Each structure stands twice: as structure tokens, then as C-alpha cells.
Amino acid sequence: MSRPVEVQFQQLDLEGLAQLEGRIALIFDGDKPATPAARALNRLTKGALARAMGSNDCAQMKPGESFELAYPVGLAAQAVQLIALPKKASVEAARLAGAAVARGLHPHCTTLIAEAHPRAAEISFGLAMRAYDFSPHKSTAAKAIGRVAIALAEPEKVAALAAPMAAVVEGVFFTRDLVNEPANILTTDDFAARLAAMQDLGLEVEILEEEQLAKLGMRALLGVGQGSESPSKVVVMQWRGGVEGEAPLALVGKGVVFDTGGISIKPAGGMEEMTMDMGGAGVVAGVMRALALRRAKANVVGLVGLVENMPDGRAQRPGDVVKSMRGVTIEVINTDAEGRLVLADVLWYAQERFKPAGVIDLATLTGAVIVALGHENTGVFSNNDALCNAFLKAAAAEGEGAWRMPLGAGYDAKLKSRIADIVNSCGRDGGSITAAQFLQRFVKDEIPWIHLDIAGTALLKSDSALAPKGATGWGVMALNRLIRDQFEPK
């Protein structure tokens, strides 16, 4: 997998500033050099820093933005990057400051001077998150990144604060790699193997194959994958870090490794992006990795349904009727509404087997949620205000956009089928809501449940604050924080 850049936390050495090579980044606050490092650099550069800090360019900078001095006199470094960040900056601004450094990492060495800034750990987190590059399939070598160091007044203290954040970064990178991988590489077999390898981190991983799924009655899930050469699977990952016997939180992910739409085939334009239709499963996997790496004191089980939706002589047809594990029969109106069929069976299995304290499912489920919310927010649907509000609070704290959407009995009427219990597709109007209403049929009334439709946030066509264009890893940070705040002892 893509490895996060190794950030070294070191003692600030004012006497060695002139000899620092590569690139220097300096956190500053105000219109003149006010800290020991800033004053020292200003002396070395014959007043160039003071002139820059007092300029209109720097005055107009927002927290987290930067200004660059190239080839400054008096320094061995090729550039000094000035980053505006007040001492009382928000977490978001601090992460943006780190991301600004990450965009210009030097092939030889980059030294970020944060001195005693109270948000230094968050700055390092933003740097690590933005320094992501997915290039294993390019013939040219990836851009070289030299040593990255953060110079501080108390490096050991900041390193301790940053350690659990580093586990989250690795979880996010794992998710991004999975979502970015092409479908000829990330088959259902390969996906399951990557998850099984996390047993080395302390996760218990179990792979349920098609024969086992058939015995369990997962005909809705199996119907989606029956036109593919890749076998359908369910992978169960357990992290037992909490009180023994305490009910776990269950995370359930849609893992359609490629979605052609099946017999209801998609238009050719943009179909190449359907390699990301396993984004929900990717987020579940990334969260489980982060929990294991930081040794979370919670019981969490992650379940992902891995299938491929292909047109074939054996493929499911519009008009077919399948029986879910719950026993509910489903008329398949549209084979491109396949993710909810996968989730229906995995949701029921998760509740039957684990009796969870709550269930959160994630899926790149509908284009309708993009129409409603664009690419800024994930659609959030829930039957439980307490769990939903806790999640929304966690997402806001991590800067991951999330917006609660409605559920209601009025939408249920559209699910009625003439020949089965329900249909799997209800038309365009309210499409993300009726999809959530479908899923709610497979959630027990007493189980707190959240459905996250990440179709608009899992993969972007342009850079975001903490990621280059492509997979974002949306949800790993928010779910990790939710688990930390709500499911671990204070």
C-alpha cells in the first residue's frame, strides 16, 4: 500500500538554520518576525522575511495559506515558505497549513519550523494526509520526497499527540489505494486477500465464500455477482479492543469492485470510474486498519460484501425475483440498483450474528445524492437521533462534510411490488431517500442505524484540501472519531 511520508519530530536548532538544505517552511502569525526562529531567519536573510511579512501579499493570506521566498540570501535552503497560522487557529486551518507544506515537499529535505505552536500535531496530520500519491501503475518513477522534519520546542510532546493521528492517516491511505485501484487488479479475490493480510495487525478476519453465502440465504447479494467470473464474498473483520462480551459497533460496506450496471448497462461515458463502487467497503477497511494500529479500546466489527456486477448469459435480469437472507422477496426492476441488494443481506447477517450496539453502512449508492448535495457532503440517513447527531458532530470536527436527509413512511409506498414484497428501484424522484428506505427494511427496529451515501464524496475530479484528485478516503476520520468519542472509555 501507499506509505505515509515519515515525519520526524526534532528539537529546534536556531544555530543550524543557515545550513538547512532543501526547503524551509515557517509558521508565522502577524506582520513581522515575532518568534525566535523567525527573527533568526530574518537576520540571516538580511531582512527579507520582515519585508515579506509586512507586504500586502502576506496581509491578504487566510490561515493555512502560504507565500514563498525563492533562493533566499544567507541560507543554504532553496526556498522559505511562509505559512500564516495564528496561535488560536482552528483544527481545519492547522491541517491546511500542513497540506500547504506537503504540496511542495523537496526531494532532498523539507524542514517545517513550528516552534511551540499549539496545533503542531494537527499541522503534521495535514502534511501527511496531503502527501499522498497513487502511482504504482505509471511507468515513470514517483516524485522523490526527501527527509521531512518538524522542528519544535517540545518534539516528544508533539510526537505523542501525533501518534494516533498517524494510524488514521494509514487507514485513510489504505482506503484511497483500494478506491483508486483498477478493477483488473482489485478483483474480489485480491480485495479479500488485502483484508486478510490485516490479521498481522491483530484483526480477526474471516472470508465467507459463495457456498457459505448460499447456505446463509444471501440470494440478494449472490444475484448481483452471478454474471461475473469473480466470485462473490463477504469478509468479516473483528477488532476486540473493548470489554469482553460487550456488543460491538458494526460497520457494513458495499464492495462492488466494478459496476457495469449489469443488464441495465450504464452509458459508456464515465463508466471507467465505476472502479470506485467499492468505496463503502474501502472506508470500512480503512477504519478497521486505523483502529488496529492505534489499539482502540472498543469492540468493532467490519463487514464488506464483495461482488462484481457484469452483463453475462448468467447475469441477473430486470424482472427477476430474489429472496434475501431476511426472507423478504425483491423484484429486481433495475440491475444497476445493485448495491442495496448487497447491503440488504450483509446488514441482516451483521445483526443476526453479532447483535450489535449499532450499525453504520456506507455505500456509493445513488447518483441522486450527488444531485441533492453535490460533492461537498455525504448523505446521512438514520433511525436514531442520538447516534446520528454523534456522527454529525464527529464529521464536523474532522472537516468531513455530512448532511442529514429525511426518511419517512410516505417514501415507503414507492417500494411496493406487484409480484414480490418490494422492488429494488423506485425511479428518479427522491432516489437517495427511497434507496435508504429500502435498506431500512433490513434493519431491526431496535438497532440504532445510520446509512451513509458516499457517492459524491468518495472520489473527486479535482484536488481537495487534504487529498489530490481521485479517492478521498472520506469517512475514515469521522468514523474513527465517533468510535473514539462514543464507544471507548473516556
Side-chain angles (χ1 to χ4, degrees):
M1 64 166 282
S2 299
R3 306 299 304 179
V5 62
E6 183 180 348
V7 178
Q8 300 176 16
F9 300 92
Q10 66 183 38
Q11 190 71 44
L12 175 63
D13 176 17
L14 296 178
E15 299 299 321
L17 292 178
Q19 286 74 46
L20 287 176
E21 297 181 336
R23 187 179 184 86
I24 297 172
L26 175 70
I27 302 296
F28 79 98
D29 178 16
D31 59 0
K32 57 182 178 293
T35 65
R39 290 194 294 268
L41 286 171
N42 188 54
R43 286 194 301 273
L44 289 167
T45 59
K46 312 298 184 186
L49 257 70
R51 185 179 178 188
M53 290 178 182
S55 69
N56 288 332
D57 290 323
C58 281
Q60 293 171 8
M61 283 174 13
K62 297 176 182 178
E65 293 183 341
S66 66
F67 177 86
E68 188 167 309
L69 297 173
Y71 298 99
V73 65
L75 299 177
Q78 294 179 9
V80 173
Q81 183 181 17
L82 299 176
I83 304 168
L85 195 69
K87 280 190 168 56
K88 294 183 179 180
S90 66
V91 168
E92 180 183 12
R95 292 177 178 181
L96 288 175
V101 178
R103 290 186 181 92
L105 293 178
H106 195 274
H108 177 67
C109 179
T110 302
T111 303
L112 168 60
I113 302 174
E115 298 182 82
H117 200 286
R119 295 288 192 194
E122 295 289 353
I123 296 169
S124 73
F125 179 77
L127 190 161
M129 283 282 285
R130 188 58 181 78
Y132 172 83
D133 178 50
F134 186 77
S135 55
H137 306 298
K138 293 182 178 181
S139 57
T140 55
K143 178 183 175 182
I145 294 177
R147 178 175 175 269
V148 179
I150 300 183
L152 299 149
E154 298 181 289
E156 294 84 2
K157 179 181 177 181
V158 176
L161 292 172
M165 297 180 188
V168 177
V169 174
E170 188 162 329
V172 171
F173 278 28
F174 191 55
T175 297
R176 289 178 183 173
D177 280 0
L178 290 169
V179 175
N180 280 327
E181 280 285 17
N184 62 322
I185 304 296
L186 192 73
T187 62
T188 57
D189 286 329
D190 183 78
F191 201 149
R194 295 189 192 202
L195 301 186
M198 290 201 291
Q199 292 176 113
D200 294 342
L201 302 179
L203 289 169
E204 298 175 29
V205 182
E206 181 182 359
I207 301 173
L208 306 181
E209 302 290 355
E210 287 186 341
E211 184 177 349
Q212 296 164 281
L213 302 180
K215 287 180 180 178
L216 288 165
M218 292 195 188
R219 300 294 175 185
L221 181 150
L222 288 170
V224 175
Q226 68 189 39
S228 172
E229 294 295 323
S230 292
S232 299
K233 303 172 188 287
V234 170
V235 181
V236 181
M237 298 163 280
Q238 295 187 65
W239 175 252
R240 303 176 190 265
V243 176
E244 185 176 354
E246 190 172 84
L249 173 68
L251 306 178
V252 175
K254 169 190 171 184
V256 180
V257 295
F258 193 79
D259 181 22
T260 65
I263 298 301
S264 306
I265 198 162
K266 294 177 181 290
M271 195 195 291
E272 73 280 358
E273 289 188 352
M274 286 300 101
T275 57
M276 53 76 78
D277 211 23
M278 38 55 64
V283 174
V284 171
V287 174
M288 298 306 294
R289 188 177 192 89
L291 296 178
L293 286 169
R294 70 173 182 83
R295 318 308 291 176
K297 293 179 172 59
N299 294 331
V300 183
V301 57
L303 305 97
V304 297
L306 306 182
V307 301
E308 185 178 38
N309 188 22
M310 298 288 282
D312 180 83
R314 297 176 294 120
Q316 188 166 251
R317 296 152 291 228
D320 284 1
V321 174
V322 294
K323 188 176 183 179
S324 67
M325 182 182 174
R326 184 185 177 183
V328 173
T329 58
I330 305 164
E331 180 185 3
V332 180
I333 298 295
N334 186 335
T335 64
D336 194 24
E338 84 299 330
R340 65 202 71 180
L341 299 174
V342 174
L343 289 174
D345 279 342
V346 184
L347 279 167
W348 196 254
Y349 176 74
Q351 294 165 91
E352 288 286 282
R353 178 176 172 184
F354 293 104
K355 309 295 188 294
V359 178
I360 301 175
D361 76 73
L362 300 97
T364 49
L365 204 64
T366 68
V369 81
I370 304 176
V371 174
L373 299 175
H375 297 280
E376 298 299 317
N377 288 285
T378 282
V380 182
F381 304 80
S382 182
N383 66 358
N384 185 279
D385 289 344
L387 181 61
C388 186
N389 290 337
F391 173 77
L392 292 171
K393 181 179 178 181
E398 294 294 342
E400 295 197 304
W403 192 265
R404 190 170 187 179
M405 300 283 282
L407 292 168
Y411 297 103
D412 261 341
K414 300 191 70 175
L415 291 173
K416 291 180 180 178
S417 166
R418 180 179 62 85
I419 61 172
D421 295 329
I422 54 176
V423 296
N424 79 320
S425 181
C426 306
R428 292 173 60 83
D429 55 305
S432 63
I433 303 172
T434 53
Q437 293 286 157
F438 178 97
L439 294 177
Q440 193 172 25
R441 296 291 184 98
F442 301 91
V443 178
K444 298 179 181 183
D445 291 340
E446 69 275 15
I447 299 291
W449 162 71
I450 296 174
H451 161 57
L452 300 173
D453 192 337
I454 62 172
T457 52
L459 184 139
L460 302 179
K461 295 181 183 294
S462 58
D463 291 4
S464 59
L466 299 181
K469 63 182 177 180
T472 63
W474 185 100
V476 174
M477 293 189 297
L479 288 169
N480 174 74
R481 179 177 280 261
L482 174 73
I483 292 164
R484 188 196 74 185
D485 291 350
Q486 300 295 321
F487 294 90
E488 297 186 57
K490 300 295 187 287

